[in-house]
Amino acid sequence: MATVEQCEVALHGLADRMAGNSGNAANGFDRSLSCSLNDLAIVFGGRLHDGQLTDIAQIQNPTAQIRLTMTSDDLLRLVDGELNLAKAWASGRIKVQAGVRDLLKLRSIF
């Protein structure tokens, strides 16, 4: 099981990677995001805006336009590129609550 600190570092690493991707397919995309980590019983929130992930912090209420639920280890694997979002979602390892268009945008991010 990953630590809270490792998960936060991973999310900030993802944000840095997204900020450095000038041709990001998520430009014009503006959604609130929550990531619930079942094994740690915490939720991180942030904002996907114009190809960047901002305002990453622990939150109490996971109500967001895009809601991800997974384990801390799967978060690290997903951010590191070791876990494919679509395959993990199809197998039930990751739960995603989002609209169809949002799902397509998420595939381009991860």
Side-chain angles (χ1 to χ4, degrees):
M1 177 171 36
T3 66
V4 173
E5 293 78 19
Q6 288 173 312
C7 293
E8 189 166 6
V9 167
L11 287 170
H12 283 284
L14 175 63
D16 291 344
R17 189 172 73 217
M18 290 175 66
N21 188 0
S22 60
N24 197 318
N27 286 340
F29 191 55
D30 186 15
R31 299 286 187 273
S32 58
L33 172 85
S34 68
C35 181
S36 299
L37 303 173
N38 293 336
D39 55 338
L40 297 177
I42 62 164
V43 180
F44 283 99
R47 184 125 202 114
L48 290 169
H49 180 71
D50 286 333
Q52 295 188 25
L53 178 59
T54 60
D55 303 326
I56 300 166
Q58 285 188 47
I59 60 173
Q60 297 298 316
N61 190 353
T63 58
Q65 292 165 309
I66 299 172
R67 293 181 223 153
L68 305 172
T69 304
M70 65 191 80
T71 66
S72 59
D73 288 336
D74 283 343
L75 173 64
L76 297 184
R77 286 185 193 104
L78 183 67
V79 170
D80 287 341
E82 297 172 15
L83 183 63
N84 178 282
L85 177 65
K87 289 180 182 178
W89 174 66
S91 70
R93 281 179 78 170
I94 295 177
K95 294 180 184 172
V96 181
Q97 292 178 296
V100 174
R101 287 186 204 163
D102 294 343
L103 287 171
L104 294 173
K105 288 287 187 178
L106 282 176
R107 280 187 50 205
S108 69
I109 293 169
F110 290 101

